[in-house]
Amino acid sequence: GVYNEQLYVAPGVTLISRTIFKASIDGGGRETVVTLGNGSTISGFEIRNGTIGVFSTSADVSILRCRIINNYQTGIMCVGNLPQIEDNIIIYNAGSGIQGWDVRSTSSSINHNTIAFNSNHGISVGGNSTIIIENNIISNNTLLGLKVSDESVRVTLVNNNFFMNSKFSGTLPAENFTLAPMYIDAGKFNFMLDKNSQLIGKGTDNQDLGSRIVY
């Protein structure tokens, strides 16, 4: 069903939708929809219609298998600690798909997400950040696929696909791609890959790039 609220996930709590994308948390056009406490996880939800979809300053946080859509600013914003951001579909947000400030990769990374059709950057990273970005599809964002604010930001890019963003800032490392993703039907929010996509099996783990959700 649809839950019209702004939600705080308490420390140590894991919140899971029973069926993928069949539970929606709707922010009603205001405020942050989901805020995550230390050691919390959210998985399987559609998170929509807030200013920020998911916000975290906490440690040991996971954002998994969610569709984060139609927020008026950023899809996911994280400060200080990088969550495990994996297998999400982050689309049609009015700001950037993911924004991070002073974030660090320890055991966490931005891995196997589909980040597309956002009205600002695909991923924007600032402050004194060190992050790993791998196995993602970053496509059709209005501005940069990856925006790095200054030289203090250190980003490792491995096996990502950048396609039809306005441009890429800097030089794309050789182990990344610029191929048409071939989504099944982006207009109907189906971002699974067509069987003829060249991104099938291109991950560092030999799995498909982008979100691996089947729905």
Side-chain angles (χ1 to χ4, degrees):
V2 177
Y3 299 84
N4 296 297
E5 58 184 306
Q6 289 78 39
L7 181 68
Y8 174 66
V9 184
V13 170
T14 294
L15 187 64
I16 304 173
S17 172
R18 181 185 297 273
T19 305
I20 198 79
F21 303 156
K22 294 301 183 182
S24 299
I25 307 172
D26 192 306
R30 58 190 175 86
E31 302 181 14
T32 297
V33 184
V34 176
T35 302
L36 298 172
N38 286 334
S40 65
T41 294
I42 189 163
S43 177
F45 286 84
E46 181 173 88
I47 300 168
R48 68 191 192 200
N49 295 338
T51 51
I52 296 168
V54 182
F55 178 73
S56 176
T57 61
S58 302
D60 301 318
V61 163
S62 296
I63 306 164
L64 310 174
R65 296 167 56 82
C66 290
R67 181 163 64 197
I68 302 170
I69 182 173
N70 287 341
N71 295 287
Y72 298 105
Q73 294 180 18
T74 302
I76 296 174
M77 179 176 287
C78 43
V79 180
N81 295 283
L82 182 69
Q84 179 187 2
I85 303 174
E86 187 168 314
D87 281 313
N88 300 286
I89 298 172
I90 306 166
I91 52 173
Y92 299 112
N93 298 287
S96 297
I98 298 173
Q99 186 170 354
W101 187 266
D102 285 343
V103 289
R104 301 282 188 279
S105 291
T106 52
S107 59
S108 296
S109 66
I110 299 172
N111 187 27
H112 275 296
N113 303 281
T114 298
I115 306 165
F117 295 97
N118 299 290
S119 297
N120 201 355
H121 309 298
I123 300 174
S124 177
V125 186
N128 187 15
S129 297
T130 303
I131 67 172
I132 300 169
I133 301 172
E134 58 183 336
N135 301 321
N136 302 281
I137 300 174
I138 304 169
S139 81
N140 302 94
N141 298 288
T142 301
L143 298 182
L144 301 176
L146 173 64
K147 166 68 173 177
V148 175
S149 66
D150 53 57
E151 294 181 356
S152 65
V153 175
R154 293 168 297 281
V155 176
T156 301
L157 290 172
V158 184
N159 284 54
N160 302 283
N161 187 69
F162 291 87
F163 183 77
M164 290 295 290
N165 307 291
S166 67
K167 59 180 178 177
F168 183 82
S169 178
T171 302
L172 187 65
E175 59 271 23
N176 294 271
F177 309 98
T178 56
L179 301 169
M182 297 182 67
Y183 303 123
I184 289 178
D185 194 338
K188 295 183 177 179
F189 308 152
N190 187 339
F191 284 83
M192 292 190 295
L193 298 178
D194 182 88
K195 64 181 181 180
N196 296 313
S197 172
Q198 296 181 71
L199 303 183
I200 291 173
K202 284 291 197 301
T204 55
D205 48 13
N206 296 318
Q207 298 189 43
D208 301 348
L209 293 190
S211 173
R212 297 163 291 184
I213 297 171
V214 176
Y215 56 97

